[in-house]
Amino acid sequence: MSGEEKNDAELTAREIIKSYDGRSLRIMEVCGTHTHEIFRLGIRNMLPQNIRLISGPGCPVCVTPTGFIDEAVMLALEKHCTITTFGDLVRVPGTEMSLAGARTKGAHVEIVYSPLDSVTYAEAHPDEQVVFLSVGFETTTPASCISVRQAKQKNLENYSLLTANKTMDNAYAALKDSADAFLYPGHVSVITGTHIYEKLKDEGVSGVVTGFTAGEILTALAVIINGTQKQKPFFRNCYPRVVTEEGNVNAQRLIKETMLPCDSEWRGIGTIPMSGLTLNDSYAAFDSRRKYALPQVTGHPNPACRCGEVLRGSCLPGECSCFGSACTPEHPVGACMVSSEGACAAYYKYGLN
Amino acid sequence: MTTDVVTLAMGGGGKETNELIDTIFKKHFSNPDLTADDAAVLDFPAGKLAFTTDGFIVSPVDFPGGNIGKISICGTVNDLSCMGAVPMFLSCAFVIEEGFPVAKLDEIAAAMEKTAKEAGIRIVAGDTKVAGKGQVDGVFITTTGIGRVMDGVHTAGSSARPGDVVIVTGDIGRHGCAILLARNQFDITAEKLTSDCAPLAGTVQSMLAATKNIHVIRDATRGGVGTVLYEIAHQSSVGIVLNQKDIPVSGEVNGVCGMLGLEPLYLACEGRMVVFAPEQEAPAILDALHKGPYSGNAAVIGRVVADHAGKVIVNTEIGSQTMLPQPGGELLPRIC
């Protein structure tokens, strides 16, 4: 597409969005980067009253349950493991404390940028037992799989994964009553391919996959508006330059050979059947839960926190009594206030409520 | 020198200390005002003084476009320049880790002298301490500077007024980005990307030669241009409106920020000023800046308004408005 044609498409999309006067629409984005770009571009400010954007469960930090943090704290303080993790997770509250809190009690927590850095760390520190907090969706999971395969090849006995990996397809079905259509994530779709969306369409779930530029997001919103006029479920790929029908087959195979689907708890949403991944039996020695015989842990989130309702779109961040007072990015009560991609953190930073 | 690394004895005040001072610091910094006495005694013109101090602990000590020595002069020279002062005298205090390579110290001192000469400031006093291995990381430098404020210049953070334009003196965020990549944590390389680290005494003097009617000049260092804008919005109790498309950002910085999810407005600069001046002065200021060596892509990026005091609003690329998030959270550690 030439620059001029692209601008034309963007202008048309903008017109369709601004002039929409049909029934009220709820559009849910389920990708932290979409959430961030929608705020950065000020897209909410140009929408008519009858279109509402909901920041759904698209940020891996935000959907990580309290019990998972409790397990990590237990591994750090009681089993004296070194925890390696993406930075955001350190501040997510557990039932009694976050990993940042555990650090002040002597826990050893190392921030890494990739699971592979974690393997390097374990290799360099043979006297430490290293546990990587394996969270994330289809985009991040392949790297966790590679890390554990590397560890097996290298016969590393001091490396394991505490898994909370999640898959999106069953989450859409579980959330279908919370939105009229989904803005499907660009990066995740590169891995999964679009065939899962065709299947969801057959189950009555509508959506459009798109990229991250202003033009791509606006076009997708316009396509959703047009699609909802037709009274039947729809799917469109508005990101065809990188998203294909079959997806990244190598990454899919890697996940299949290393992990198994399992039921998974989503913070604030509850357990969604077969929406998680755990290591399969050939990697049992690298599964922290089995390696350390962890007991079943049930987390107890702060009852005042309404992150779950925020993720479903049934509550705006500002409607939660904690927002902006007890709960701020400096002192988060709920996970949505921790990550810069979380709905509450974005509303807070951009001065909305 | 008898050894090629700095030893604790070199900080002891005896023969080894003198040897270090003679072979490194005196060799580079030599000038008539730098004597072996306990304090420099200086001739000083009448008028107002500007006086500032700054500590530098950047990691790594070398980065594309400079090193800790260059930055330790630029930081202090630029702070003086913000107040409309012509930099005159500077002192420097080194805390060096035992085992630090003498050759590296020589490079740092050479960069300091070269930068000081360019900025017209004389290094007239110094101190050297050596700390045990692990007590500091490499070398820490503190510089203190004195300058004479030019007559008729009254810049202050509280002086921005509705109607002022906001100018940045060059493309933003290069220092923070260069340091980030120099740490090799992300396996990203950008060959053309260098720090913007530069002494801006000449840049500021050329602006003030064009007009003295400038309300605010502030050095955008840690926290970047975005942090400066919020500081001025608060200090002057005004609102600021930016035009996203007018903010100069290099392709490399944009690319790295896109990959890592960073906002260029919050990346550190070490050679960029944010200038607030009445709109009618903008052409003369930009004309002066565009002729200078460090400000060829200076641009007006926004305006000061009376409403939404204390807030910075951005006109986005799609014609919508959004608030620039307030600075907060963890900034990159040890960038200057």
Side-chain angles (χ1 to χ4, degrees):
Chain A
M1 210 187 274
S2 76
E4 215 164 280
E5 283 170 37
K6 194 178 132 221
N7 284 342
D8 280 354
E10 195 181 311
L11 275 178
T12 311
R14 230 188 288 182
E15 277 315 304
I16 292 172
I17 295 166
K18 280 187 173 166
S19 60
Y20 177 71
D21 61 356
R23 70 180 171 99
S24 80
L25 284 183
R26 299 162 304 161
I27 301 171
M28 180 179 280
E29 88 268 0
V30 276
C31 165
T33 308
H34 276 155
T35 303
H36 183 266
E37 286 303 294
I38 285 167
F39 276 98
R40 193 184 67 81
L41 293 163
I43 286 178
R44 269 189 181 74
N45 297 336
M46 63 180 284
L47 297 178
Q49 287 276 320
N50 48 358
I51 297 181
R52 203 171 133 211
L53 292 183
I54 300 166
S55 302
C59 144
V61 170
C62 301
V63 296
T64 299
T66 316
F68 179 79
I69 302 296
D70 296 345
E71 287 179 301
V73 169
M74 190 185 290
L75 285 168
L77 292 181
E78 292 173 26
K79 308 288 181 187
H80 307 290
C81 298
T82 297
I83 304 292
T84 55
T85 175
F86 300 126
D88 279 353
L89 223 43
V90 173
R91 296 166 55 238
V92 176
T95 301
E96 282 180 23
M97 69 185 97
S98 64
L99 283 164
R103 199 154 51 182
T104 65
K105 296 187 188 306
H108 187 180
V109 181
E110 288 282 324
I111 309 282
V112 292
Y113 297 99
S114 153
L116 303 183
D117 297 342
S118 215
V119 177
T120 311
Y121 182 91
E123 245 186 316
H125 299 83
D127 51 335
E128 296 176 31
Q129 284 294 330
V130 177
V131 173
F132 176 68
L133 304 188
S134 180
V135 300
F137 297 108
E138 288 88 340
T139 37
T140 332
T141 300
S144 284
C145 293
I146 293 173
S147 85
V148 89
R149 288 158 82 108
Q150 276 190 358
K152 192 173 188 180
Q153 276 163 10
K154 293 177 178 182
N155 292 317
L156 285 184
E157 289 179 359
N158 66 331
Y159 182 71
S160 62
L161 297 186
L162 185 65
T163 54
N165 300 78
K166 292 192 165 31
T167 50
M168 284 305 299
D169 40 357
N170 289 324
Y172 299 123
L175 286 163
K176 71 174 181 182
D177 294 333
S178 299
D180 298 296
F182 288 94
L183 203 58
Y184 291 132
H187 296 148
V188 166
S189 305
V190 171
I191 307 288
T192 62
T194 59
H195 57 90
I196 64 165
Y197 304 128
E198 295 291 352
K199 208 173 125 238
L200 281 162
K201 188 178 81 177
D202 296 340
E203 294 168 21
V205 180
S206 294
V208 169
V209 60
T210 195
F212 303 94
T213 65
E216 285 164 341
I217 295 174
L218 292 176
T219 302
L221 292 176
V223 169
I224 286 177
I225 289 170
N226 284 347
T228 52
Q229 312 299 300
K230 290 175 190 145
Q231 312 296 336
K232 61 174 191 185
F234 61 93
F235 166 68
R236 284 286 294 279
N237 180 3
C238 289
Y239 201 23
R241 64 194 165 98
V242 290
V243 175
T244 60
E245 193 192 339
E246 70 275 18
N248 184 331
V249 179
N250 290 334
Q252 291 167 18
R253 191 187 312 125
L254 181 66
I255 296 173
K256 212 173 241 175
E257 288 171 2
T258 320
M259 293 190 168
L260 277 176
C262 63
D263 295 351
S264 184
E265 187 191 344
W266 296 56
R267 193 177 191 116
I269 293 173
T271 298
I272 302 178
M274 293 296 144
S275 67
L277 289 164
T278 186
L279 287 167
N280 65 27
D281 285 346
S282 44
Y283 293 94
F286 299 90
D287 181 338
S288 307
R289 289 192 186 89
R290 286 187 260 187
K291 184 173 178 178
Y292 297 101
L294 288 187
Q296 185 81 30
V297 176
T298 310
H300 300 283
N302 186 322
C305 170
R306 297 176 70 185
C307 277
E309 292 167 73
V310 170
L311 289 176
R312 285 174 172 276
S314 57
C315 159
L316 283 171
E319 289 164 6
C320 172
S321 62
C322 300
F323 181 82
S325 51
C327 184
T328 62
E330 294 76 34
H331 300 285
V333 172
C336 296
M337 191 57 104
V338 174
S339 163
S340 61
E341 295 179 351
C344 295
Y347 270 76
Y348 183 85
K349 282 197 313 187
Y350 284 89
L352 305 173
N353 49 43
Chain B
M1 295 288 288
T2 46
T3 87
D4 54 6
V5 295
V6 173
T7 62
L8 277 175
M10 291 176 183
K15 186 164 88 45
E16 291 89 345
T17 307
N18 289 333
E19 196 189 3
L20 180 71
I21 290 172
D22 287 344
T23 53
I24 303 285
F25 299 121
K26 270 200 186 152
K27 179 179 93 183
H28 290 293
F29 300 165
S30 175
N31 70 67
D33 290 319
L34 179 68
T35 66
D37 292 312
D38 283 344
V41 176
L42 308 165
D43 284 322
F44 209 86
K48 279 190 179 162
L49 292 184
F51 182 32
T52 186
T53 190
D54 210 342
F56 298 87
I57 60 169
V58 61
S59 167
V61 294
D62 281 307
F63 48 84
N67 64 24
I68 191 172
K70 181 178 179 186
I71 210 173
S72 75
I73 302 294
C74 293
T76 289
V77 160
N78 294 349
D79 283 351
L80 291 172
S81 302
C82 286
M83 305 319 293
V86 177
M88 297 186 71
F89 304 112
L90 181 134
S91 75
C92 53
F94 287 77
V95 182
I96 309 165
E97 185 184 22
E98 178 185 15
F100 192 75
V102 169
K104 186 65 69 186
L105 199 60
D106 189 65
E107 282 173 28
I108 290 169
M112 290 175 77
E113 176 54 18
K114 182 166 177 251
T115 313
K117 192 170 266 171
E118 181 187 338
I121 198 165
R122 271 188 190 181
I123 300 171
V124 296
D127 181 52
T128 308
K129 296 283 189 303
V130 180
K133 191 87 190 158
Q135 290 182 322
V136 294
D137 182 11
V139 58
F140 293 171
I141 304 174
T142 300
T143 59
T144 300
I146 298 178
R148 184 184 172 278
V149 180
M150 285 179 260
D151 294 333
V153 177
H154 304 283
T155 55
S158 55
S159 298
R161 293 290 172 264
D164 281 1
V165 291
V166 182
I167 296 170
V168 288
T169 62
D171 63 303
I172 65 171
R174 285 203 347 229
H175 180 70
C177 211
I179 290 283
L180 200 63
L181 298 196
R183 288 183 186 162
N184 286 324
Q185 286 168 328
F186 300 107
D187 278 341
I188 301 173
T189 50
E191 276 171 21
K192 286 190 204 151
L193 179 68
T194 53
S195 165
D196 46 38
C197 177
L200 298 182
T203 305
V204 170
Q205 284 159 32
S206 71
M207 276 194 292
L208 290 168
T211 173
K212 293 207 164 49
N213 191 10
I214 292 178
H215 292 158
V216 185
I217 305 175
R218 187 154 292 184
D219 194 7
T221 56
R222 262 181 315 186
V225 171
T227 299
V228 167
L229 295 174
Y230 268 101
E231 284 170 4
I232 303 303
H234 282 290
Q235 273 183 271
S236 297
S237 299
V238 293
I240 295 172
V241 179
L242 297 183
N243 294 315
Q244 182 82 51
K245 66 174 175 41
D246 297 334
I247 301 170
V249 185
S250 74
E252 290 82 9
V253 170
N254 247 335
V256 171
C257 284
M259 271 190 270
L260 299 179
L262 301 171
E263 168 55 61
L265 280 167
Y266 286 117
L267 278 181
C269 311
E270 283 294 338
R272 299 291 182 255
M273 297 292 190
V274 184
V275 180
F276 291 69
E279 187 169 11
Q280 74 269 18
E281 308 294 352
I285 294 171
L286 284 177
D287 191 46
L289 287 172
H290 289 158
K291 289 177 187 148
Y294 303 120
S295 47
N297 50 10
V300 172
I301 61 167
R303 278 183 165 63
V304 177
V305 294
D307 50 354
H308 61 78
K311 290 206 171 113
V312 181
I313 302 292
V314 184
N315 290 324
T316 70
E317 61 194 81
I318 58 167
S320 182
Q321 281 201 331
T322 189
M323 199 174 94
L324 179 70
Q326 299 238 21
E330 280 178 35
L331 300 169
L332 291 173
R334 298 192 49 200
I335 47 181
C336 58

